[in-house]
Amino acid sequence: VVYKIFIYLIKICFEFYICVCVCVCAGNVFVSFIGSEDRTPKKKFSEVQKERREQAQRTVLIHCPNKISEKKFLKYLSQHGPISHHFFYESFGLYAVVEFCQKESVTSLQNVTRTPSMGTEAAIPFKSRFFNLKLKNPSSQTSEKSSIPCSNHSPPSSKKLSELLCYAESVDDQLNTLLKEFQLTEEDIKLRYLTCSLIEDLAAAYFQDCTVRPFGSSVNSFGKLGCDLDMFLDLDEIGKLNTSKTSGNFLMEFQVKNVPSERIATQKILSVIGECLDHFGPGCVGVQKILNARCPLVRFSHQASGFQCDLTTNNRIALKSSELLYMYGALDSRVRALVFSIRCWARAHSLTSSIPGSWITNFSLTMMVIFFLQRRSPPILPTLDYLKTLADAEDKCIIEGHNCTFIRDLNRIKPSGNTETLESLLKEFFEYFGNFAFNKNSINIRQGREQNKPECSPLHIQNPFETSLNISKNVNQSQLQKFVDLARESAWILSQEDKDRPSPSSNQPWGLAMLLQPSVVSSVSLAKKKRRKPASERIKNLLESIKSHSPENDTDTNGKRTVSTQA
């Protein structure tokens, strides 16, 4: 009896502990189970960027010989100061990323480094943090060489991924496995910030106190291994007035050159930086200056890191979009798993492409997932307008006349009480967009509800900050229809999986693994082809249709010609 009373009291206490807190604001209802909240403080996007940038500034990149003793290598570098972290990777040779504990250690290493003798060629003496290590006596280290573990910066092959997914215990486990295999590793993120820091060293030769910041998939938590590195040259901190140091009746300003517009200034700056990268940037190859684009940029390959890089300036809204996506990814652990799986599914069926064209972009797919999660009951993610209502004075942000204000402190946002599984959400995503009225409705994460399309584009997804822009204007009707057909097919496959699911040990594709099989699309296309009439019959029907709609037949009761509107 005492035992039963004890169990009953524990049950009451537990139910009280997970009592439901409902917050109704701006049309959104968020239910949070207090017992399930993650009480670990979450860092702001700006705090993460600052920490990563400081790490990069005390880090060096070293091209190493293949035959090297890791122990002797680290002992040699430790002469300049204690080492916080290091790792090796391969990209056109063996490279080491070494992070010192103090920034002064980098200066110490630079002071003992010489400019190489190039023989008949001439070396451009640029003092960077990208070094080349040579062995004075290679034979002495060959015998001591041990296998140096290298970090992997590539996603798994399709075959390897399929095997991992087949052995998963559930669909939820499959989505989390895919996320784990594709997401950026700690080493990859450090290498991206280091690459930006190395480019910043070059740009600082012209623009002292400038900052080169990564944005986009490299920092928004949705980047996958091998994705491009987008960089933003931030010149806003240069020459900012420090009121604490001004006194007297005078105000000193820098003497500068003037140009007719902001765009021309951006083009001239990027043109100079592009020339600098091409002529003086160690490891920078294939430099292209794309200055007449809507957003001017310099594109190049950073050979040492293996990244394809795009450098822009005057693009603060893109940086703000990165922060917004970072917040959405951090609010609920299911968000990133779902986005990664949907993107992988889209790429497997050629819905997305690295080549510009009429395909749906990864950014558009991410917006669709966020919108879908805002539409759940209760919502898993808050709307952008709701995040704006939580903002305080320090969160206010107006960029080029666009209101980009939203709360930046993740710890002040109540987590959702929605407990749907990833399997359920994946299926419901395909169901939702397989039956979405794309012909009349647009997708809008600011309000989190369907709205009438303001234009006739097949797919309309409102830019969250530049609200007059459609981020999916490039998508044509055939690509959208392909997405809808695949979404419906995928929803059907997942519903069938519930009835007949193979054993994980059978190594047969199921769940998410089945959705990523190219044969799914092929079988659908083949079935449609089989349903189509023979070519001769279709041509005959077409001729009869033309005949029946000839001018003499296309008249109304008043004898006036009519125009057929049938497709």
Side-chain angles (χ1 to χ4, degrees):
V1 174
V2 174
Y3 176 75
K4 288 182 178 181
I5 294 173
F6 178 69
I7 295 297
Y8 178 72
L9 290 173
I10 289 177
K11 184 179 178 182
I12 293 175
C13 292
F14 179 73
E15 289 175 351
F16 177 77
Y17 181 63
I18 60 170
C19 64
V20 179
C21 297
V22 181
C23 171
V24 182
C25 185
N28 294 301
V29 179
F30 293 96
V31 183
S32 62
F33 292 87
I34 296 176
S36 64
E37 286 187 22
D38 181 5
R39 299 180 184 276
T40 306
K42 297 175 181 177
K43 293 179 181 178
K44 293 182 181 179
F45 179 76
S46 56
E47 293 172 344
V48 173
Q49 288 246 314
K50 184 180 178 182
E51 286 181 12
R52 293 287 190 185
R53 184 165 178 265
E54 289 174 350
Q55 280 181 342
Q57 287 176 336
R58 59 176 188 267
T59 304
V60 296
L61 179 62
I62 304 173
H63 182 219
C64 303
N66 291 327
K67 299 176 180 180
I68 185 175
S69 166
E70 182 178 5
K71 184 177 179 181
K72 287 185 176 181
F73 171 71
L74 295 176
K75 183 179 179 181
Y76 169 75
L77 290 177
S78 296
Q79 299 176 89
H80 304 282
I83 295 171
S84 172
H85 182 78
H86 80 281
F87 63 90
F88 292 89
Y89 71 93
E90 291 183 344
S91 173
F92 299 99
L94 181 65
Y95 290 86
V97 173
V98 182
E99 178 190 335
F100 288 100
C101 294
Q102 288 95 27
K103 194 175 178 181
E104 291 75 20
S105 300
V106 175
T107 306
S108 173
L109 179 59
Q110 286 176 320
N111 290 337
V112 300
T113 303
R114 67 184 184 92
T115 301
S117 175
M118 303 301 292
T120 57
E121 296 180 326
I124 297 173
F126 181 72
K127 195 175 182 179
S128 72
R129 285 178 289 132
F130 181 14
F131 302 95
N132 187 43
L133 180 68
K134 289 187 175 181
L135 300 177
K136 288 183 178 180
N137 188 5
S139 59
S140 66
Q141 297 218 24
T142 303
S143 59
E144 300 178 22
K145 182 195 172 187
S146 58
S147 178
I148 296 178
C150 291
S151 298
N152 179 35
H153 292 174
S154 301
S157 65
S158 299
K159 182 180 178 181
K160 177 65 176 177
L161 178 64
S162 181
E163 290 175 357
L164 290 170
L165 297 182
C166 288
Y167 282 104
E169 294 295 329
S170 63
V171 174
D172 283 46
D173 191 24
Q174 286 183 327
L175 269 72
N176 285 317
T177 297
L178 186 143
L179 171 63
K180 181 182 176 182
E181 292 296 321
F182 276 90
Q183 69 183 352
L184 299 182
T185 62
E186 174 68 13
E187 287 80 8
D188 193 87
I189 293 172
K190 286 188 174 184
L191 185 56
R192 288 171 184 272
Y193 276 88
L194 174 58
T195 304
C196 288
S197 190
L198 294 174
I199 302 304
E200 181 182 308
D201 290 347
L202 275 163
Y206 287 93
F207 306 102
Q208 191 178 4
D209 299 327
C210 72
T211 305
V212 174
R213 306 180 191 277
F215 72 94
S217 55
S218 294
V219 297
N220 63 20
S221 77
F222 294 102
K224 74 169 188 175
L225 289 171
C227 67
D228 292 349
L229 174 55
D230 296 314
M231 305 177 180
F232 169 67
L233 176 61
D234 189 354
L235 304 174
D236 279 9
E237 297 301 317
I238 298 177
K240 274 197 172 181
L241 183 65
N242 190 339
T243 54
S244 62
K245 294 183 179 180
T246 59
S247 60
N249 299 320
F250 298 98
L251 178 64
M252 194 71 76
E253 292 181 337
F254 289 108
Q255 187 69 252
V256 296
K257 285 220 171 188
N258 297 320
V259 292
S261 68
E262 189 78 26
R263 179 175 175 81
I264 293 175
T266 297
Q267 290 172 327
K268 286 184 176 293
I269 290 168
L270 288 176
S271 179
V272 170
I273 297 299
E275 290 292 319
C276 184
L277 291 171
D278 195 19
H279 296 309
F280 310 136
C284 298
V285 298
V287 179
Q288 302 175 58
K289 295 184 289 184
I290 308 172
L291 304 179
N292 292 321
R294 177 180 172 269
C295 182
L297 61 94
V298 174
R299 178 167 293 163
F300 63 96
S301 294
H302 192 258
Q303 204 168 35
S305 64
F307 296 136
Q308 181 72 27
C309 306
D310 285 348
L311 176 66
T312 62
T313 187
N314 194 29
N315 192 19
R316 289 196 157 275
I317 289 183
L319 194 63
K320 202 66 180 174
S321 296
S322 301
E323 182 175 6
L324 179 64
L325 291 184
Y326 168 83
M327 289 191 62
Y328 276 132
L331 283 175
D332 193 290
S333 61
R334 292 168 291 183
V335 179
R336 295 176 64 239
L338 194 60
V339 168
F340 271 75
S341 296
I342 296 296
R343 283 184 174 186
C344 189
W345 166 83
R347 190 60 185 265
H349 300 303
S350 301
L351 287 170
T352 57
S353 174
S354 58
I355 304 170
S358 58
W359 297 276
I360 298 174
T361 64
N362 280 331
F363 184 50
S364 294
L365 285 173
T366 305
M367 290 293 107
M368 294 172 80
V369 173
I370 290 172
F371 180 77
F372 164 73
L373 296 177
Q374 291 173 339
R375 300 287 297 165
R376 304 310 294 161
S377 179
I380 293 175
L381 291 178
T383 65
L384 182 52
D385 280 349
Y386 173 76
L387 295 179
K388 182 182 173 182
T389 63
L390 298 179
D392 52 29
E394 68 175 14
D395 295 321
K396 187 175 181 181
C397 179
I398 307 295
I399 303 174
E400 299 171 9
H402 302 287
N403 194 334
C404 304
T405 302
F406 57 85
I407 187 172
R408 304 173 73 188
D409 187 356
L410 286 158
N411 301 297
R412 290 173 51 201
I413 304 173
K414 287 280 187 181
S416 169
N418 184 300
T419 58
E420 290 179 276
T421 64
L422 280 170
E423 179 177 4
S424 173
L425 290 172
L426 183 66
K427 180 184 173 184
E428 290 298 323
F429 174 87
F430 291 129
E431 289 274 7
Y432 182 77
F433 283 111
N435 297 283
F436 190 83
F438 288 106
N439 61 326
K440 64 178 182 179
N441 290 333
S442 66
I443 294 168
N444 175 2
I445 70 164
R446 288 202 75 94
Q447 299 181 8
R449 58 186 176 86
E450 301 164 7
Q451 289 184 315
N452 292 331
K453 285 202 297 188
E455 59 176 42
C456 60
S457 297
L459 176 61
H460 190 280
I461 303 176
Q462 185 189 67
N463 187 302
F465 297 122
E466 298 176 273
T467 54
S468 63
L469 298 181
N470 173 14
I471 66 172
S472 56
K473 194 168 185 176
N474 63 302
V475 181
N476 61 28
Q477 185 60 46
S478 63
Q479 286 296 316
L480 177 61
Q481 189 59 50
K482 182 180 178 181
F483 169 83
V484 171
D485 291 342
L486 281 165
R488 291 174 178 174
E489 182 74 11
S490 298
W492 180 83
I493 289 172
L494 288 175
S495 65
Q496 297 304 305
E497 289 285 341
D498 293 336
K499 303 173 184 176
D500 185 22
R501 177 173 296 181
S503 170
S505 59
S506 65
N507 202 26
Q508 293 295 318
W510 62 278
L512 180 59
M514 178 64 77
L515 299 186
L516 301 182
Q517 295 294 314
S519 57
V520 175
V521 180
S522 302
S523 61
V524 174
S525 300
L526 185 62
K528 286 184 177 180
K529 287 179 181 178
K530 287 181 178 178
R531 287 198 299 267
R532 294 181 70 182
K533 297 177 181 179
S536 57
E537 189 175 343
R538 285 188 279 115
I539 293 172
K540 181 180 178 181
N541 292 340
L542 178 62
L543 291 172
E544 290 178 355
S545 176
I546 293 172
K547 184 177 179 181
S548 65
H549 287 84
S550 60
E552 56 268 25
N553 294 331
D554 288 350
T555 55
D556 62 12
T557 53
N558 295 322
K560 295 180 181 180
R561 184 179 298 178
T562 60
V563 180
S564 174
T565 58
Q566 293 181 351

